[in-house]
Amino acid sequence: AVDWPEEGYLKARFDMVYARLLQSRDDVETVASALAEMKQLHEQIVAAIPTERPDETELPAWNARIVAQGMALHLLASGDSENGLTALREAAEEEAAMPVVFGPSAELLGEELLKLGRADEAAEAFRAALTFAPNRKLSNEGLAAATGG
């Protein structure tokens, strides 16, 4: 674990907490803790942008998408599969409407569907992720797992 200073490095801290959430996404307590910290850091980032990076226009929206992923993963870790999957689908759709699309929400949706044995739906989600980020290794691997190829 990285010991970050109490002040500054907000985006780096946000990204590290997001990584912790993803790494432990089946542990409801860790996900809840990371999600709460991500929400707090997101608010701090939004408050700091006008003075520290006034030309930044996309970071708050991207961080909000990441928080939405975290909220969906919290539902899934809590055992609420259907609402968690719905939240991940919504996150993927909202992400797809953003100006620069990367695809992690669709990829996460595919991974969670695959864990639940819903291979056809998982394949569809991985294909959507690959539309946004062609040849992304994790999406390709997920698609192969979902389709048996």
Side-chain angles (χ1 to χ4, degrees):
V2 175
D3 225 1
W4 292 99
E6 293 289 325
E7 299 291 322
Y9 303 98
L10 295 173
K11 178 60 175 150
R13 289 169 42 205
F14 181 90
D15 290 344
M16 292 299 291
V17 174
Y18 175 53
R20 186 174 76 228
L21 182 143
L22 290 175
Q23 183 180 32
S24 303
R25 68 183 192 222
D26 292 328
D27 177 348
V28 69
E29 290 177 19
T30 301
V31 170
S33 171
L35 179 58
E37 192 173 347
M38 284 171 54
K39 287 178 178 179
Q40 181 181 32
L41 287 164
H42 174 62
E43 290 175 12
Q44 292 174 9
I45 290 168
V46 169
I49 285 177
T51 55
E52 293 186 19
R53 293 180 68 184
D55 59 335
E56 176 58 66
T57 59
E58 295 179 5
L59 183 60
W62 277 108
N63 283 354
R65 297 290 21 93
I66 293 169
V67 169
Q69 288 176 15
M71 292 167 61
L73 292 174
H74 183 258
L75 288 168
L76 289 163
S78 299
D80 189 351
S81 297
E82 289 311 310
N83 285 323
L85 293 174
T86 296
L88 267 179
R89 278 189 187 94
E90 290 170 2
E93 289 169 9
E94 290 174 14
E95 188 175 292
M98 295 180 72
V100 179
V101 181
F102 182 59
S105 292
E107 188 175 272
L108 281 172
L109 175 60
E111 290 174 359
E112 293 300 325
L113 286 163
L114 201 55
K115 281 189 345 190
L116 293 170
R118 295 161 68 169
D120 291 342
E121 291 174 83
E124 183 180 320
F126 287 121
R127 285 186 188 101
L130 288 165
T131 299
F132 305 126
N135 297 317
R136 182 170 158 83
K137 182 180 182 207
L138 293 176
S139 292
N140 276 323
E141 289 173 354
L143 180 58
T147 58

